[in-house]
Amino acid sequence: MSRIIAYDLCRLFIGPNFATPRGIDRVDLAMANHLFMDPHSPHIAILPTPLGVRAYPASVARSLLTHLEHIWNESMASEDDARLQSLIADMRSRDHARDFRLPHAVGLTRREGVRRTLALVRRTGLRTGRAATRAVPPGAIYVNFGQLALAVPMFFTWLQRRPDISCALMIHDTIPLQHPELVKPASVAHHARMVRTAAAHADCLIFSTAFARASVNEALAQLHASPIPSLVRSLPVPAAFARTRGGLPELAGKHYFVVVSTIELRKNFTLLLRVWEKLIARMGDAAPHLVMVGAPGLDAERILAPLTASPRLRDRVHHVSGLSSPALARLVFGCAALLSPSFAEGFGLPLLEGIAMGVPTIASDIPSHREIAHRSTTLLAADDESGWERAIMTTPRAIPGRHPHIPADMTESAYCAELIAFFGSVTSRSHGAPTGDIDRAR
């Protein structure tokens, strides 16, 4: 039998606080589903609780994942997605005078998020579980994709009492350490603790790009930490995108572009809004539409202020959050191009999704995007406003009959199988020589 995996569900446990999954949530969910598809699986779920770090059987994990997918509307048909239908109506409207209101960040109030989390606890039989120090079988490997828990060192002290357990951690990036001006001040200390936790406990690290690995290794070196074995493996294309076979009939003939990310400083939405102001001034009603998909984040109100001030801009620029994954996939499928003007990324999953679906892509020329980019991707400096305007103006409408091209090794099943095989080779630093670095980037 393959090695037992003790999989950390911390990120997914807080999933009810968000209307829909974010990019890394989909990857975390894919791995958890792979491990716990069978409720009788020998693998174990791990969660930090007020009683300490606890372990739960696969049956409980399966129940949690099923409930989470239900409240995230992961199987909802796009026709039933109220937020998508509202967006479609907005794009077809000619009412320039309508108001723009910034939605709740992530589409839920804090009270609603707490209510949904408590409902998840009641319906999935989480309760107290068993102490991880006693419940995890000898020689198992603890795996954490969610990263969030790494900022709380006490969640990892149980591993010190179980040196027979190996530890594999995914670190998404060190952007707050590299670009503190683009994040909340608390994020800098948050990420610094993550790196210290990895230095103290990780037997191997998992990265989505070589750039992310280099940046984390630089942060580790500043701590004078020993090198940690690692795997670089491109993230997979989410299943909802792999299954999509067509755009939205209601938007057939609409010339529109899509950008997908949290509305925050790092994502460079301000550039796109300036470009669209120029496009509207130049082209009038012939200007294309821009759809910004993402929950409001740091400084979102200021970033989106031009929409409040300009009815003309609101006629061509639309913001929506909380779309189900199938709805998002169909929206992207029918766009003229997927835009990604970020100043910094550890990976850039929306760019990969657009490429895989055969959608033209225009992205900022940053290291992680260069690793993902297709030969058809247009890479531009993040501050090249004129270049972005020219690229958007010369991009034709979506081509009817385009087809997704999802390589077999970029599916969720292939991704999960490869990482699980890799986990079998990871050796605890307490039990011998470490394994070497491996690259599996596409």
Side-chain angles (χ1 to χ4, degrees):
M1 185 179 70
S2 61
R3 193 173 186 182
I4 298 297
I5 294 175
Y7 194 75
D8 194 298
L9 294 182
C10 184
R11 189 181 192 97
L12 296 175
F13 177 76
I14 66 172
N17 290 278
F18 300 89
T20 52
R22 295 149 293 178
I24 194 61
D25 295 333
R26 295 188 180 96
V27 179
D28 201 6
L29 182 62
M31 179 58 78
N33 272 328
H34 193 91
L35 293 171
F36 302 118
M37 185 59 66
D38 179 359
H40 303 292
S41 166
H43 300 303
I44 293 172
I46 298 294
L47 271 176
T49 77
L51 298 177
V53 178
R54 314 296 285 185
Y56 300 86
S59 58
V60 172
R62 179 68 262 152
S63 180
L64 182 152
L65 297 172
T66 299
H67 182 68
L68 183 59
E69 289 180 309
H70 172 71
I71 62 177
W72 270 349
N73 297 320
E74 285 299 275
S75 59
M76 174 188 285
S78 57
E79 307 83 59
D80 298 326
D81 191 309
R83 294 174 187 266
L84 176 64
Q85 297 308 315
S86 177
L87 170 67
I88 291 170
D90 188 36
M91 292 178 68
R92 298 174 69 176
S93 171
R94 300 292 299 173
D95 180 12
H96 293 188
R98 67 189 185 280
D99 292 334
F100 172 76
R101 295 180 180 178
L102 187 68
H104 290 295
V106 306
L108 296 174
T109 64
R110 180 173 296 181
R111 176 176 294 182
E112 180 68 5
V114 170
R115 185 192 65 78
R116 284 159 51 114
T117 300
L118 291 176
L120 179 144
V121 171
R122 288 195 303 270
R123 296 177 186 180
T124 58
L126 281 171
R127 297 184 177 83
T128 59
R130 299 173 59 200
T133 50
R134 295 194 299 271
V136 177
I141 179 167
Y142 166 77
V143 176
N144 186 313
F145 270 28
Q147 177 181 274
L148 295 176
L150 273 64
V152 187
M154 64 181 294
F155 291 166
F156 294 82
T157 55
W158 70 279
L159 291 169
Q160 297 172 349
R161 300 193 294 276
R162 288 294 306 273
D164 60 299
I165 297 175
S166 302
C167 176
L169 306 177
M170 176 182 280
I171 298 185
H172 310 156
D173 56 65
T174 57
I175 290 171
L177 302 181
Q178 297 172 304
H179 300 281
E181 74 281 3
L182 298 178
V183 300
K184 297 177 182 178
S187 295
V188 179
H190 186 89
H191 265 66
R193 288 195 299 272
M194 288 183 184
V195 174
R196 288 197 296 270
T197 298
H201 299 288
D203 296 304
C204 78
L205 296 174
I206 307 156
F207 301 107
S208 56
T209 60
F211 168 72
R213 179 172 67 185
S215 64
V216 171
N217 282 343
E218 181 179 343
L220 288 168
Q222 292 176 5
L223 296 175
H224 305 290
S226 300
I228 300 174
S230 62
L231 169 73
V232 176
R233 209 296 189 180
S234 174
L235 296 179
V237 177
F241 287 79
R243 290 193 295 262
T244 299
R245 291 296 177 267
L248 297 162
E250 302 94 328
L251 296 181
K254 282 285 184 185
H255 189 199
Y256 70 94
F257 295 75
V258 173
V259 55
V260 183
S261 70
T262 302
I263 312 295
E264 61 184 0
L265 293 172
R266 176 168 65 91
K267 303 297 185 173
N268 202 15
F269 282 91
T270 301
L271 174 137
L272 294 181
L273 291 174
R274 287 199 302 264
V275 166
W276 248 262
E277 287 174 338
K278 291 183 177 180
L279 291 174
I280 293 167
R282 181 194 297 264
M283 304 172 67
D285 289 344
H289 292 259
L290 172 64
V291 181
M292 303 185 298
V293 184
L298 177 64
D299 225 5
E301 189 168 352
R302 183 185 64 80
I303 294 167
L304 298 178
L307 292 179
T308 303
S310 172
R312 189 71 169 162
L313 191 60
R314 290 199 297 274
D315 182 50
R316 283 293 181 269
V317 179
H318 317 271
H319 172 237
V320 61
S321 65
L323 291 181
S324 64
S325 295
L328 175 59
R330 294 192 69 185
L331 179 69
V332 171
F333 191 95
C335 72
L338 189 286
L339 309 178
S340 185
S342 299
F343 290 117
E345 293 285 352
F347 184 75
L349 187 57
L351 177 59
L352 179 68
E353 292 164 349
I355 292 170
M357 297 181 76
V359 173
T361 48
I362 307 173
S364 52
D365 189 6
I366 56 177
S368 57
H369 283 171
R370 289 181 213 130
E371 291 189 50
I372 303 168
H374 185 261
R375 60 180 177 275
S376 62
T377 301
T378 300
L379 293 172
L380 298 166
D383 60 355
D384 184 5
E385 194 171 309
S386 297
W388 280 84
E389 183 183 356
R390 286 193 300 272
I392 290 164
M393 283 190 65
T394 56
T395 300
R397 294 170 185 264
I399 301 172
R402 66 166 49 135
H403 298 287
H405 176 63
I406 317 293
D409 67 340
M410 291 309 300
T411 61
E412 289 180 341
S413 58
Y415 176 84
C416 294
E418 183 173 332
L419 261 69
I420 289 172
F422 172 73
F423 294 150
S425 69
V426 175
T427 303
S428 170
R429 284 188 280 177
S430 301
H431 288 78
T435 54
D437 288 346
I438 302 176
D439 285 284
R440 293 286 186 270
R442 296 233 282 168

